[in-house]
Amino acid sequence: MAGVTAGPEWAAAAGAASASGSGPAAEPVAPGRGPALAFALGSGALHGWAHVGIVRGCARAGLKPRAIAGSSVGAVVGALWAAGLPAEEISRIARRLEWPSTAAGLTALLGARRRNHALREEVERAVGGRQIQQLPVRFAAVASDALTGDSVVVDAGSVGLAVEASCAVAALNEPVPVGNRLLLDGSLTAPVPVAAARRLGAARVVAVDVAYRPYEEAPTSASDYAYQAMHIIGNALAREQTRQAEHVIKLDVHHLMHKRLDIDALIAAGEAALLELAPRLMPR
């Protein structure tokens, strides 16, 4: 059974006890040179290609995180990174997946919701069927309890199931049963899962925020304004959560998608941002 712990992100970040958790508390990251470094990879749908650039930038800079927490698309990239896959392989896997865009529209509500079995199975193959606790780097996926609204940290059990739960968009996907909970997209409660990264034992957290910004594209229709409202709420929550991190990478990359999805440019943007920050992340 997956290890799950629920509780408000702000409370966890402040060191408070998690509310109604059902999994064991995470063991601290093993000691090493310098404070343990973790990445909190945020939600952002197709913007999440920038996370692949974060992975590539860390490889170029010689940075190896000791823990990774991911929310939604950040959980996909984070799980593969924690499994030891290089950026090039993560990119190849991601190109095989079907990625929903927020441009899908509210008409998706009129269609049948479904489980994202393809995502779960692709991730399971990529990590060789290992459990979360068997990955070489500590990992947690963050999801949201569909019945209580709690933010839920999944840090044990099936990697694919944890990632599927973290990516379960309410308008498109059925809630994913994990333990005794029904879980939806992590972006609803933890768009940038800093508290989850801290829970894995990190002394320093790099928060990577790739969300859609309200100012990046003006709404022109009723459905656009509905999505704009969601982005306003999500960005406000992300601002609160990133304040708990020692380092923040905030990327505005929607312009790289206006006319066509430029995956290479998105990856390059993430890599450039990481390399700019890298000197401050080196062990002292």
Side-chain angles (χ1 to χ4, degrees), residues 73-89:
V73 67
V76 179
V77 177
L80 301 177
W81 192 13
L85 276 62
E88 293 72 21
E89 182 62 20

Side-chain angles (χ1 to χ4, degrees), residues 217-240:
E217 187 170 4
T220 59
S221 67
S223 62
D224 285 349
Y225 276 102
Y227 276 113
Q228 185 79 331
M230 292 167 56
H231 296 327
I232 290 169
I233 294 169
N235 275 266
L237 183 53
R239 283 194 298 272
E240 290 300 314

